């Protein structure tokens, strides 16, 4: 009788766990400034862990393009701190932006914080982000429209070009927003995104 009734009792399936948004924090090779950026990134990591368990760190001296590309698969939020190489700038024009508007990462893994290589717009356009991902760029030259330290500030027209150009590759990768701040860290932005 119990076996017969068991066929009529609906089974209750366990509810699927809510998806945890993925946050990836990247610290590029920035010479003597890298240690400070790792400290800022650790504060961002602690803040992100308040809202999701799916937080990935990719820090110099191990932040190579292959590790960053792999880590950002399915990322809802990507935070990058490191060198920025944007356009327009005083450097040689690169019509394909292969070294502009992206990440300054380690050329080889484990070879120190002075081991820098730029991966520009064509690279970041290939990131496999979560739909409508948010990109947070902090302390970069050019990304927020700014210049490098010691250089004259740009005109408003040039600053807007830098902003638009720096965001372009990330938007091509499916990001819904690219937020750049040349002076503040990402903690307040993370808190705002999650609350």
């Amino acid at each position: 009788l119990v076996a017969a009734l068991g066929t009529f009792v609906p089974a209750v399936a366990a509810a699927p766990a809510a998806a945890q948004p993925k946050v990836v924090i990247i610290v590029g090779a920035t010479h003597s400034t890298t240690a400070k950026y790792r400290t800022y990134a650790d504060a961002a990591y602690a803040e992100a862990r308040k809202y999701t368990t799916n937080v990935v760190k990719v820090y110099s001296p191990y932040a190579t393009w292959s590790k960053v590309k792999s880590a950002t698969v399915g990322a809802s939020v990507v935070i990058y701190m490191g060198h920025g190489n944007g356009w327009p700038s005083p450097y040689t024009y690169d019509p394909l932006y292969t070294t502009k508007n992206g990440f300054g990462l380690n050329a080889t893994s484990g070879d120190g914080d002075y081991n820098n290589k730029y991966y520009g717009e064509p690279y970041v356009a290939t990131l496999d982000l979560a739909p409508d991902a948010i990109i947070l760029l902090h302390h970069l030259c050019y990304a927020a429209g700014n210049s490098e330290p010691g250089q004259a500030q740009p005109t408003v027209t040039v600053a807007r070009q830098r902003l638009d150009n720096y965001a372009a590759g990330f938007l091509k990768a499916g990001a819904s927003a690219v937020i750049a701040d040349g002076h503040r860290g990402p903690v307040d932005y993370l808190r705002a995104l999650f609350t």
Side-chain angles (χ1 to χ4, degrees):
L1 181 62
V2 172
L5 286 175
T7 60
F8 295 102
V9 177
V12 178
Q20 293 278 317
K22 184 177 187 179
V23 176
V24 177
I25 305 169
I26 303 161
V27 176
T30 50
H31 309 258
S32 62
T33 309
T34 311
K36 180 168 53 171
Y37 288 173
R38 280 192 287 262
T39 300
Y40 295 159
D42 285 342
Y45 177 84
E47 185 66 26
R49 291 281 297 171
K50 294 177 183 176
Y51 309 104
T52 180
T53 59
N54 195 359
V55 184
V56 178
K57 299 192 284 187
V58 185
Y59 292 5
S60 178
Y62 307 103
T64 60
W65 170 248
S66 62
K67 288 182 182 173
V68 166
K69 180 139 170 78
S70 176
T72 55
V73 171
S76 297
V77 178
V78 175
I79 300 166
Y80 169 69
M81 287 175 266
H83 279 306
N85 185 15
W87 187 259
S89 75
Y91 303 107
T92 304
Y93 177 63
D94 171 7
L96 300 178
Y97 301 119
T98 55
T99 61
K100 307 273 194 272
N101 309 321
F103 298 132
L105 303 173
N106 297 104
T108 56
S109 185
D111 200 17
D113 295 330
Y114 288 79
N115 159 32
N116 185 276
K117 182 175 178 180
Y118 290 105
Y119 296 88
E121 185 177 324
Y123 291 92
V124 298
T126 67
L127 295 175
D128 187 15
L129 305 169
D132 299 320
I134 305 293
I135 308 298
L136 300 174
L137 304 173
H138 292 275
H139 303 289
L140 282 69
C141 296
Y142 302 103
N146 53 323
S147 294
E148 294 179 48
Q151 299 289 325
Q153 289 304 311
T155 64
V156 172
T157 300
V158 168
R160 286 184 178 150
Q161 289 173 335
R162 288 175 176 172
L163 287 163
D164 288 346
N165 290 340
Y166 225 104
F170 297 103
L171 296 174
K172 287 176 188 172
S176 64
V178 178
I179 301 167
D181 190 323
H183 302 288
R184 293 183 349 182
V187 171
D188 291 337
Y189 291 94
L190 279 170
R191 190 175 302 121
L193 283 173
F194 283 101
T195 60

